[in-house]
Amino acid sequence: MILVTFIVYSGIVLQLSNSHSDGSSMRYRVLGEVGIEVSVIGFGASTFGDVYGTVRASTAERAVAVAIDHGINLFDVSPYYGHTLAETRLGQAFAGKRSKIFLGTKCGRYGVDEFDFSGETLTRNFEQSLRRLKTDYVDLLQAHDIEFGHIAQILGETLPAMRRLQKQGKVRFLGLTGYWPGLLARTALAGKVDCILNYCHGNLFVDDMDAELVPMTEQTGIGLLNASPLHMGLLANKPIPDWHPAPSSVRDAARQVRAFCEAQGIDPAILALRVCLDHPAVASTIVGISSESEVIAACEALEWTPPVEVLQQVRKIIEPAHNVLWRSGLEQNQDASLSAARGHDASH
């Protein structure tokens, strides 16, 4: 069955369809009460900012074109990724294809330690994001990593400024992103947003997203996006970046999983992604993609079932590092689960 959603916005007819040229069978889920069908695999464009290694502009353009051909319609980016480089490359890559995608970017985080959730700054910087993305609106604007901000400001200044952009027709839906599921759940309830993006809490290493966040989104109809199925690249076929915040126990387990999977002839990245794709409460799992081959591999994961014995062994390897967390954000924003997490390395 071909599912086609027509959305009229700012005089533009946006058509998101699961009929695509290569004949592959992308799957779609409705994004909460937003009511739009998004691909269960989301294209994370942080890679275009060279955060996991250098990506050529031509490679980025080809990856986006192939992703759209394979039915991926959700694209996620931020001015933070590569200090605006990712937005610039994504804008160049989907030139002429804007009507085929559901585009999300972020505000509030602009550098490693550069956070500014003030209304004036986010409004000014958002206009620059639109120029880089070569569009006059985005489908989803998200306050980026809210654990690094004061929640009173997020609720009292950031979201109201985002709503003003929404009233101007420059933003369709509003969201929050961050590391802590509980903090996101509580803030989303108070702020009445459309969507939440949680990263590194719904994958092979950490699965506590279901404790508080998932029940809240199911009860309220807020859309849920799960990011970092590879635990911020730990299970990718690339060197672990120096900036990665995971403690040594998690890094060591990731290296062991990668070695084991490679010995079995299995891509650990595809295994990690596949485990995330069937979560019934998650509309889309956003994975960092940097090339055509990674698009194809991710889409093939939809039709692949991991061998039971391999998955069991991987979980056994991860067990000593399972649900080990790291600190992220302001002290007052740490979830209670941090202190309760078994094996937590307090130095991170």
Side-chain angles (χ1 to χ4, degrees):
M1 179 176 66
I2 297 176
L3 301 174
V4 182
T5 301
F6 289 96
I7 305 146
V8 180
Y9 185 72
S10 297
I12 300 172
V13 177
L14 176 63
Q15 178 179 340
L16 304 179
S17 170
N18 74 337
S19 176
H20 26 91
S21 59
D22 75 323
S24 60
S25 53
M26 178 54 63
R27 301 173 196 167
Y28 299 81
R29 295 197 185 108
V30 176
L31 183 61
E33 292 186 352
V34 165
I36 294 174
E37 291 172 334
V38 294
S39 50
V40 296
I41 296 175
F43 192 117
S46 64
T47 53
F48 290 1
D50 291 347
V51 296
Y52 295 104
T54 302
V55 177
R56 296 169 61 93
S58 58
T59 302
E61 291 176 13
R62 180 60 182 166
V64 169
V66 172
I68 293 173
D69 285 345
H70 278 70
I72 294 176
N73 65 17
L74 189 151
F75 287 76
D76 175 82
V77 72
S78 168
Y80 166 56
Y81 304 143
H83 298 283
T84 73
L85 179 60
E87 282 189 329
T88 298
R89 283 181 171 163
L90 184 59
Q92 294 170 343
F94 68 63
K97 306 178 183 70
R98 176 67 181 92
S99 64
K100 298 180 180 181
I101 71 171
F102 185 90
L103 173 63
T105 193
K106 307 181 182 77
C107 60
R109 184 168 196 177
Y110 306 104
V112 175
D113 296 309
E114 184 185 350
F115 298 89
D116 190 338
F117 292 98
S118 67
E120 179 181 356
T121 297
L122 79 83
T123 300
R124 180 178 63 253
N125 287 348
F126 176 71
E127 294 295 338
Q128 296 171 8
S129 288
L130 289 180
R131 287 195 287 273
R132 287 188 290 268
L133 291 166
K134 300 184 184 301
T135 184
D136 58 0
Y137 76 99
V138 298
D139 298 287
L140 178 63
L141 179 62
Q142 305 158 97
H144 195 176
D145 291 349
I146 63 168
E147 66 268 20
F148 288 92
H150 295 278
I151 301 306
Q153 183 185 33
I154 301 292
L155 295 172
E157 184 177 358
T158 308
L159 284 171
M162 293 165 67
R163 287 195 175 91
R164 287 193 290 273
L165 293 171
Q166 188 180 39
K167 289 180 180 178
Q168 294 169 16
K170 297 176 180 179
V171 175
R172 300 185 61 222
F173 306 106
L174 305 181
L176 304 172
T177 84
Y179 181 70
W180 295 114
L183 181 71
L184 285 167
R186 295 187 296 273
T187 308
L189 276 175
K192 299 179 180 179
V193 298
D194 303 301
C195 182
I196 292 172
L197 184 156
N198 187 209
Y199 73 94
C200 286
H201 281 263
N203 58 36
L204 278 168
F205 275 93
V206 180
D207 54 14
D208 62 354
M209 188 174 65
D210 290 345
E212 185 175 355
L213 184 55
V214 167
M216 186 279 293
T217 59
E218 291 179 332
Q219 292 167 10
T220 61
I222 294 175
L224 180 59
L225 302 174
N226 179 25
S228 299
L230 313 188
H231 220 41
M232 290 172 63
L234 286 186
L235 295 178
N237 295 308
K238 300 174 183 177
I240 296 174
D242 293 337
W243 52 258
H244 203 291
S248 57
S249 61
V250 177
R251 289 169 174 252
D252 291 344
R255 293 187 184 98
Q256 293 177 50
V257 168
R258 288 165 65 158
F260 170 74
C261 286
E262 289 163 8
Q264 304 300 312
I266 290 174
D267 186 338
I270 299 308
L271 173 67
L273 174 60
R274 187 65 191 86
V275 167
C276 297
L277 291 178
D278 290 331
H279 196 301
V282 173
S284 183
T285 296
I286 298 173
V287 60
I289 293 175
S290 59
S291 65
E292 174 183 357
S293 63
E294 290 179 2
V295 171
I296 294 171
C299 292
E300 288 177 347
L302 280 169
E303 308 302 326
W304 177 67
T305 301
V308 173
E309 62 278 8
V310 169
L311 188 54
Q312 288 176 338
Q313 183 60 30
V314 166
R315 294 191 186 280
K316 184 177 180 180
I317 294 171
I318 289 174
E319 172 60 23
H322 183 233
N323 282 342
V324 171
L325 309 175
W326 55 77
R327 292 188 176 277
S328 183
L330 303 180
E331 187 62 32
Q332 64 266 28
N333 291 336
Q334 308 302 300
D335 263 8
S337 57
L338 177 65
S339 58
R342 177 175 51 80
H344 169 67
D345 183 341
S347 66
H348 288 263

